[in-house]
Amino acid sequence: MTPSYKRVIFGSFCAVFAVYSAYVWTAGTDIPQNRSPGHQVKAGLALFQEKNCIACHQLYGLGGHMGPDLTNVVSAEGKGPDYARTFIENGTSKMPNFNFNETQVAALVQFLGFVDSSGTYPPKNPEITWYGTVAYGASKNTE
Ligand code: HEC
């Protein structure tokens, strides 16, 4: 017969396994806030892809490097939706004017707003959970 302490250890592992499995199977997978993109955001994304804005700009640091990163242009200090709109409407000497109509400009600004609400680039002091991962939705930090 095996010594009883081995049974206790084995039993403890089984208990931990059972409890953790129960937790994993029952923990919800819901995303904390409503993050589904609306009709305008989708139209903005389509334009962003069609006009290849990413050739010159980056989102989360990825893309071309002729223009600035656009991840947080809508919430950055001193910038904002109207600031972004001005560039999209008129272009500059380095950025083309795409001659967008009102609806298209609004859609692109909505899209940039949606991207902005998804997080911060570069990441700033993300909140870390007690088990060591980045807390979902907490990476947006105004510091
Ligand atoms: C040919 C390269 C190029 C393309 C394509 C381009 N941009 Fe730009 N964009 C720039 C440059 C360069 C700037 C910086 C302004 C300047 O230096 O004139 C800029 C600035 C901006 C800004 C202001 C960013 C800030 O933080 O100051 C926004 C918003 C913007 N672009 C949006 C867009 C969108 C949306 C598209 C696609 C429809 C796009 N751009 C396509 C080159 C480009």
Side-chain angles (χ1 to χ4, degrees):
M1 179 137 166
T2 37
S4 64
Y5 74 90
K6 284 190 179 171
R7 288 187 171 202
V8 171
I9 291 172
F10 182 71
S12 310
F13 279 131
C14 288
V16 169
F17 176 77
V19 169
Y20 189 67
S21 296
Y23 168 72
V24 168
W25 276 86
T26 53
T29 51
D30 289 344
I31 296 173
Q33 73 253 64
N34 179 12
R35 297 268 316 129
S36 50
H39 155 78
Q40 242 192 337
V41 170
K42 286 182 186 161
L45 167 64
L47 282 169
F48 195 84
Q49 291 175 329
E50 186 190 315
K51 302 297 177 190
N52 207 10
C53 312
I54 208 78
C56 297
H57 292 283
Q58 312 98 62
L59 292 178
Y60 284 102
L62 299 175
H65 284 266
M66 189 175 162
D69 189 292
L70 297 180
T71 315
N72 299 121
V73 64
V74 166
S75 69
E77 226 184 303
K79 299 186 178 176
D82 290 338
Y83 172 95
R85 185 174 294 115
T86 308
F87 282 86
I88 296 167
E89 258 168 5
N90 307 302
T92 70
S93 57
K94 292 187 230 153
M95 169 168 157
N97 179 348
F98 294 93
N99 297 309
F100 291 126
N101 63 35
E102 284 270 315
T103 321
Q104 292 173 315
V105 174
L108 278 163
V109 174
Q110 285 289 317
F111 168 68
L112 290 177
F114 183 79
V115 171
D116 190 281
S117 70
S118 70
T120 311
Y121 183 82
K124 291 177 199 156
N125 307 323
E127 193 181 302
I128 306 294
T129 60
W130 64 269
Y131 48 90
T133 63
V134 172
Y136 183 86
S139 57
K140 186 132 185 84
N141 192 316
T142 46
E143 258 181 68

